[in-house]
Amino acid sequence: MSDEESRRWVYGFGEGDGSMRSLLGNKGANLAEMSRLLGAERVPGGFTVSTEACVEYMRTGSPPAGLDRQIDEQLAELERASGKRFGDPRDPLLLSVRSGAPVSMPGMLDTILNLGLTEASTAGLAQVSGEDGFAWDSRRRLLQMFSEVVRGVPAAGFEQALSAERQREGVQLDSELSSGGLRRLCEEFETAFEAHTGEAFPGEPREQLRQAVLAVFDSWRNERAATYRRLNGIPDELGTAVTVQRMVYGNLGSQSGSGVAFSRDPISGERRPDGDYLDGAQGEDVVAGVRNTEDLEGLRDRMPGIHAELLEALSTLEAHFSDIQDIEYTIEQGRLFILQTRGAKRHARAAVRFAVDAVAEGLLDRRTALAAIDPGGLDALLHPTIAPDAEFEVLARGVGASPGAARGEIVFTAEQAIRRAAEGVDVILLRPFTSADDVGGFSAATGIVTSQGGKASHAAIVARGMGRPCVCGATAMEIDPDRGTVRVGEVELGAGDALVIDGSSGAVTADEVELVPATIDPNFETVLEWSDSIRRLGVRANADTGPDAQRARELGAEGIGLCRTEHMFFGAEREPLVREMFIAGELWRRDPGPGAARRFEATLDRLEELQRKDFGEILRAMAGRPVAIRLLDPPMHEFLDPGVLQRELQEARTNGDAGQVEIAVERLEVAQALQETNPMLGARGVRLGLLLPQLYAMQVRAIARAAIDTAAAGATPQVEIMVPLIALAGELELLRERIERVIETETSAGEALEVEIGTMIELPRACLRAGEIAAHADFFSFGTNDLTQSAMGLSRDDAEREFLPLYLERGLLRRSPFETLDLDGVGELIELAAERGRASKPGLRLGICGEHGGDPTSIGFFERAGLDYVSCSPFRVPVARVAAAQAAIAAG
């Protein structure tokens, strides 16, 4: 036997446990653990084909040697345990075949049910069950699933045939079709299979199983799974396991059904079981959302004993796994089976409540509870809500499946959502129900609405996982994606019309409704307090206005890590003044005579007054906390649009004012002369400060005077001045001398003012020469956005629009380097700069002020690199606080 043949590829449920997720996948490991916990009488038996087999298959293009033999061995064991034989024409053992990646990817991969059923065994199944319709419905499902998943037969033809048969028989649901109608459908489906593949539908059960296992392997590489992995940062190389399990039937008689249940409410986290039940259905009917379900109270009314058994199982599983559980269950003729369990995809609100409650209940300790929260999902807690006093007409109401309010224009397909979102438009995705193919649209949309399904439908689960507001089961909405319309009674809306949804109450309205910022609830406050007591990294915010600084402080920011002064220069009132400042400055550089100097200084004086007011608002909002103010950084071309000045000239000529024409001609000529071939690598940052020293001197005066004003008002300003785009130690040395000279002049009257002076590290050379630069700096703040651009040779805007999607699709990059730090490249530059900077100046403070400062994965790296703080946008501050605590926990 070769080494490959001797490798273990297949494991029975009794041979694994919950620690084997990387090998057995999330589903297989949990089934193994659950089988031990609940026993074979509750968990149908089966086996798992490992992720290693999938990886080997993807590597070679062929099934691993020995795989078929090991599957046959496990099949024989399953036959022995069940007392049935796979393919037996009289009483067949039938199987479900499901994917199971090492991390949860709900609905992204493929499933085949009723596998092993042949035409002969369908008759046997009808006889042994006494239910002719059940047997032919099971055959119909196998034909449809196998054809679509395994051989790629288009789904539309099957759905059209089902619709036509329902119309023929005058029924609304597939479950209401007669056995004769189901037989006709089976014949049609077999014909469609043969027409598409050129082959007869496989009549040998073992061949069905072989093809199904390979199809699940192949599903790891399908487009929707690749999109989901890209959106969630899941490595492509993990592969998927395949779980093969004995079938039980929720569509067998009046005492049968299927459902999904949660050990706690997956939206609020309230300690009460929640979920869906669908009478006379197999599990796929529930999660697909194609039929509206009942809640667990409906199951209690129908089968109180089964309901009690289900709640007991939920309690046992939650206590064992120490997490909210999401289970799939089937009831077959009055007997309850649990088909799988997993950590529930819960809304962030439920995640933080569970953490707090689990600690109070003694289920988890604080550090474990905190580490279990997905910090990236906490953004959802900061979604706006509909104003409490807002009055509006409810167009339709469904199930509030994922909290938060969202406003946007209607789109009906994932493709439309992606396209419109890329154009900067907020969109609400409307579908009758969603499938895994819609996952890209979920990511692009601000909210999702379906007319069918409940809290356990695909739309609800994925929306909660992504933190998108979602309303499901809004049955009054007749959504027609083909026509691009949605009708509610006499009201008809189309693509582009506005909609507001409330994922908490389930309300949908076409009215203009005020949305208000979210507030942090007590459970989230508790989690943040735990985080603050554990984390080592400081958390600051990037803010450019007083209101932004105040909001950041309310959200827990310990200071301002980046105040971008160029953002203060935008707007209809200020842009003309800044444009004049740059033009006057260039004219002064050409001819530094008294007239040009006075014109330049007059403009600077007016700007200084505005800057002093701006800085004062921020310093007062952050009184007692540090505020790092970056001196002007952008290239001049952002304010010198020749088109604007061309219009000024045209207007002067139209007015016939010769003097104004002369001035306009001069201004246009200066603007054109200052245009640069590559402005982002041109006269910006420190270079601008050296070209126009009066500009930086004006900003420093405004900072100093604002700080003195703040102190005089009884507050304590903590000022840090940051010089951008340093590449040479001499640049910072010269600018520091000038800054200190201005501050000394402004405080000559005796006011006490301590100002720290540092630099933003955003060029590779600055990282390499960090030891020299540190000699003139009190702190470094890594501008990771520009450092990524300069290190990787990327223009962020161009890359994200053009080739980054291609790199992500082909696996050249796992995540956008502008969302999660490029650890191997840019990360190494940061580590090198930190090491060399602190070797030169041991007390050097190190921070991050790019948006990576709010990314949980990047924060983990910053903790390991020994940085002192991160800074991010105000609304990312709570996320960063939790992520910093988790990084500290991971570091031990």
Side-chain angles (χ1 to χ4, degrees):
M1 186 181 292
S2 69
D3 289 343
E4 187 178 350
E5 287 179 314
S6 64
R7 285 184 64 181
R8 186 77 182 276
W9 304 114
V10 186
Y11 298 79
F13 288 171
E15 299 175 291
D17 60 50
S19 68
M20 300 170 68
R21 298 185 193 285
S22 62
L23 182 67
L24 303 181
N26 197 44
K27 186 181 278 99
N30 282 353
L31 274 166
E33 191 76 12
M34 187 168 63
S35 297
R36 293 169 179 267
L37 189 65
L38 300 182
E41 67 278 2
R42 187 69 79 200
V43 182
F47 56 88
T48 299
V49 182
S50 72
T51 58
E52 291 180 349
C54 177
V55 171
E56 183 68 12
Y57 171 74
M58 290 190 294
R59 185 181 71 82
T60 65
S62 300
L67 176 61
D68 284 341
R69 173 180 54 80
Q70 293 179 33
I71 288 177
D72 287 339
E73 291 170 355
Q74 290 292 338
L75 261 178
E77 177 61 27
L78 191 55
E79 288 175 332
R80 186 198 63 76
S82 66
K84 296 186 178 185
R85 188 165 57 85
F86 188 49
D88 186 342
R90 293 166 299 176
D91 185 11
L93 167 67
L94 301 181
L95 305 174
S96 67
V97 178
R98 291 182 169 92
S99 60
V103 292
S104 180
M105 296 174 59
M108 294 304 112
L109 305 177
D110 287 326
T111 295
I112 303 103
L113 301 181
N114 307 308
L115 195 127
L117 198 58
T118 65
E119 190 162 353
S121 60
T122 301
L125 185 63
Q127 185 171 0
V128 76
S129 68
E131 295 278 352
D132 199 48
F134 152 72
W136 286 102
D137 184 46
S138 297
R139 174 74 171 167
R140 186 270 305 175
R141 291 170 185 267
L142 169 64
L143 290 167
Q144 184 171 353
M145 286 186 177
F146 190 96
S147 299
E148 293 175 11
V149 171
V150 179
R151 301 305 297 272
V153 182
F158 297 119
E159 293 301 329
Q160 288 168 2
L162 277 163
S163 177
E165 190 61 38
R166 288 194 301 269
Q167 287 184 338
R168 184 206 305 264
E169 297 197 8
V171 299
Q172 291 188 332
L173 302 175
D174 297 344
S175 59
E176 297 171 330
L177 291 170
S178 68
S179 59
L182 291 166
R183 281 174 181 260
R184 284 191 294 272
L185 284 170
C186 287
E187 292 173 2
E188 287 187 51
F189 287 6
E190 288 192 70
T191 300
F193 180 93
E194 189 167 351
H196 182 83
T197 65
E199 304 170 10
F201 189 84
E204 207 286 305
R206 187 63 183 83
E207 177 60 19
Q208 292 179 11
L209 180 56
R210 187 192 70 82
Q211 290 190 32
V213 169
L214 298 185
V216 172
F217 284 166
D218 287 332
S219 74
W220 179 255
R221 293 181 287 200
N222 68 37
E223 183 178 351
R224 64 176 183 264
T227 299
Y228 188 91
R229 289 198 298 276
R230 184 167 68 248
L231 292 172
N232 292 277
I234 299 171
D236 288 335
E237 59 269 20
L238 293 181
T240 181
V242 182
T243 60
V244 179
Q245 191 172 26
R246 176 173 68 85
M247 281 292 300
V248 289
Y249 302 98
N251 56 339
L252 178 55
S254 60
Q255 291 293 297
S256 300
S258 294
V260 173
F262 304 91
S263 57
R264 305 192 189 208
D265 189 313
I267 299 173
S268 69
E270 184 180 348
R271 192 180 182 184
R272 63 174 183 83
D274 193 18
D276 293 335
Y277 173 71
L278 194 56
D279 195 47
Q282 290 194 342
E284 290 301 300
D285 300 330
V286 180
V287 296
V290 296
R291 289 171 58 188
N292 287 337
T293 58
E294 301 178 70
D295 57 23
L296 292 187
E297 282 67 29
L299 173 61
R300 182 189 59 197
D301 294 341
R302 292 172 182 270
M303 293 180 255
I306 293 293
H307 179 266
E309 290 178 22
L310 178 63
L311 297 195
E312 182 181 358
L314 282 169
S315 178
T316 300
L317 291 168
E318 181 182 274
H320 181 76
F321 287 100
S322 299
D323 194 7
I324 303 177
Q325 291 301 289
D326 167 3
I327 72 164
E328 292 184 17
Y329 65 94
T330 286
I331 303 161
E332 180 185 275
Q333 294 184 315
R335 184 178 173 187
L336 175 67
F337 294 94
I338 311 297
L339 305 184
Q340 75 167 29
T341 190
R342 62 189 175 193
K345 286 284 186 184
R346 80 291 303 268
H347 190 269
R349 183 180 300 171
V352 298
R353 176 164 179 173
F354 175 71
V356 173
D357 287 351
V359 171
E361 295 163 18
L363 191 63
L364 299 172
D365 61 50
R366 284 187 180 185
R367 295 172 75 88
T368 306
L370 189 57
I373 295 172
D374 172 18
L378 296 176
D379 274 342
L381 292 177
L382 302 172
H383 278 310
T385 58
I386 292 178
D389 57 350
E391 295 183 1
F392 58 92
E393 181 179 352
V394 175
L395 180 68
R397 192 178 293 277
V399 176
S402 185
R407 176 190 289 114
E409 68 172 39
I410 294 171
V411 294
F412 291 96
T413 68
E415 293 75 16
Q416 291 170 358
I418 293 167
R419 185 179 70 252
R420 293 295 285 152
E423 295 168 357
V425 178
D426 290 337
V427 299
I428 305 292
L429 175 62
L430 268 62
R431 304 284 295 165
F433 56 90
T434 65
S435 70
D437 293 330
D438 296 314
V439 65
F442 276 79
S443 179
T446 59
I448 298 96
V449 178
T450 67
S451 56
Q452 301 172 30
K455 287 184 181 178
S457 65
H458 173 270
I461 291 171
V462 176
R464 285 197 296 272
M466 289 189 172
R468 297 291 188 274
C470 177
V471 174
C472 289
T475 53
M477 302 180 75
E478 299 175 24
I479 299 171
D480 188 338
D482 295 331
R483 289 184 59 234
T485 62
V486 54
R487 176 177 288 277
V488 183
E490 298 300 314
V491 178
E492 183 173 286
L493 302 173
D497 288 332
L499 213 59
V500 175
I501 70 170
D502 184 350
S504 300
S505 69
V508 179
T509 181
D511 292 352
E512 182 68 27
V513 179
E514 181 188 1
L515 302 185
V516 297
T519 56
I520 294 178
D521 69 27
N523 289 316
F524 195 11
E525 280 287 3
T526 298
V527 166
L528 291 172
E529 288 170 7
W530 294 350
S531 300
D532 293 343
S533 69
I534 292 170
R535 64 183 168 88
R536 183 195 62 82
L537 277 169
V539 178
R540 300 190 190 183
N542 301 338
D544 314 314
T545 68
D548 281 351
Q550 183 59 45
R551 182 62 174 152
R553 185 165 187 152
E554 292 167 359
L555 292 170
E558 298 166 315
I560 301 298
L562 175 61
C563 172
R564 294 155 290 204
T565 56
E566 60 274 7
H567 285 192
M568 301 171 172
F569 287 169
F570 292 113
E573 177 189 356
R574 300 188 180 195
E575 284 186 34
L577 187 57
V578 178
R579 193 156 46 244
E580 169 62 19
M581 182 268 293
F582 279 124
I583 291 170
E586 175 61 16
L587 293 172
W588 169 81
R589 286 182 63 243
R590 294 179 182 182
D591 180 15
R598 282 194 299 272
R599 178 178 174 182
F600 187 27
E601 288 167 3
T603 311
L604 289 172
D605 287 344
R606 292 164 64 194
L607 281 172
E608 182 182 328
E609 182 180 343
L610 296 172
Q611 290 265 271
R612 180 175 178 175
K613 178 177 178 291
D614 294 336
F615 295 141
E617 289 181 357
I618 295 171
L619 290 172
R620 286 192 298 275
M622 276 289 161
R625 302 184 185 189
V627 175
I629 300 171
R630 183 178 70 187
L631 300 179
L632 197 66
D633 181 45
M636 289 183 280
H637 82 280
E638 290 195 8
F639 296 97
L640 293 176
D641 181 354
V644 172
L645 294 166
Q646 185 71 52
R647 288 191 291 274
E648 284 185 10
L649 176 58
Q650 184 61 44
E651 186 177 340
R653 285 173 173 164
T654 300
N655 293 336
D657 188 326
Q660 288 299 316
V661 169
E662 183 179 351
I663 293 172
V665 167
E666 179 186 60
R667 286 163 59 82
L668 178 59
E669 182 275 323
V670 170
Q672 291 171 332
L674 288 174
Q675 295 302 298
E676 296 177 295
T677 302
N678 195 341
M680 295 307 291
L681 298 179
R684 55 170 290 212
V686 66
R687 301 157 195 168
L688 188 59
L690 293 172
L691 284 169
L692 298 173
Q694 300 95 323
L695 171 57
Y696 272 14
M698 175 274 290
Q699 289 197 295
V700 174
R701 278 196 310 273
I703 292 168
R705 291 173 180 176
I708 292 168
D709 294 343
T710 302
T716 305
Q718 292 188 32
V719 179
E720 300 171 359
I721 294 178
M722 187 154 56
V723 182
L725 213 70
I726 290 290
L728 307 168
E731 292 172 321
L732 184 58
E733 181 180 17
L734 178 56
L735 263 294
R736 182 177 186 117
E737 289 174 358
R738 293 180 178 178
I739 291 168
E740 289 176 336
R741 194 177 310 128
V742 172
I743 292 171
E744 183 179 351
T745 299
E746 292 304 314
T747 57
S748 59
E751 300 95 339
L753 181 61
E754 292 186 7
V755 176
E756 294 191 354
I757 301 169
T759 183
M760 180 179 282
I761 301 293
E762 48 195 325
L763 297 174
R765 191 182 193 282
C767 295
L768 294 171
R769 308 311 298 171
E772 298 169 4
I773 294 171
H776 310 289
D778 298 319
F779 64 89
F780 284 172
S781 181
F782 291 94
T784 52
N785 297 339
D786 270 0
L787 185 56
T788 297
Q789 292 192 107
S790 58
M792 299 187 73
L794 295 177
S795 162
R796 175 176 180 168
D797 293 339
D798 293 335
E800 291 187 335
R801 185 177 65 250
E802 298 291 342
F803 53 83
L804 262 185
L806 177 67
Y807 274 52
L808 294 168
E809 179 182 332
R810 296 190 176 179
L812 297 174
L813 290 170
R814 185 170 297 165
R815 298 291 293 269
S816 166
F818 297 107
E819 295 175 5
T820 295
L821 194 74
D822 166 39
L823 303 186
D824 296 334
V826 178
E828 187 171 350
L829 285 171
I830 291 173
E831 289 179 310
L832 181 67
E835 178 185 347
R836 293 183 177 180
R838 282 182 169 159
S840 171
K841 182 174 287 187
L844 185 69
R845 189 171 63 257
L846 303 174
I848 295 290
C849 63
E851 273 304 304
H852 296 96
D855 171 62
T857 301
S858 303
I859 287 171
F861 167 79
F862 300 142
E863 168 71 28
R864 296 190 298 274
L867 274 63
D868 295 304
Y869 69 86
V870 296
S871 187
C872 56
S873 62
F875 284 98
R876 297 283 286 171
V877 166
V879 175
R881 291 163 68 187
V882 174
Q886 292 179 333
I889 292 169

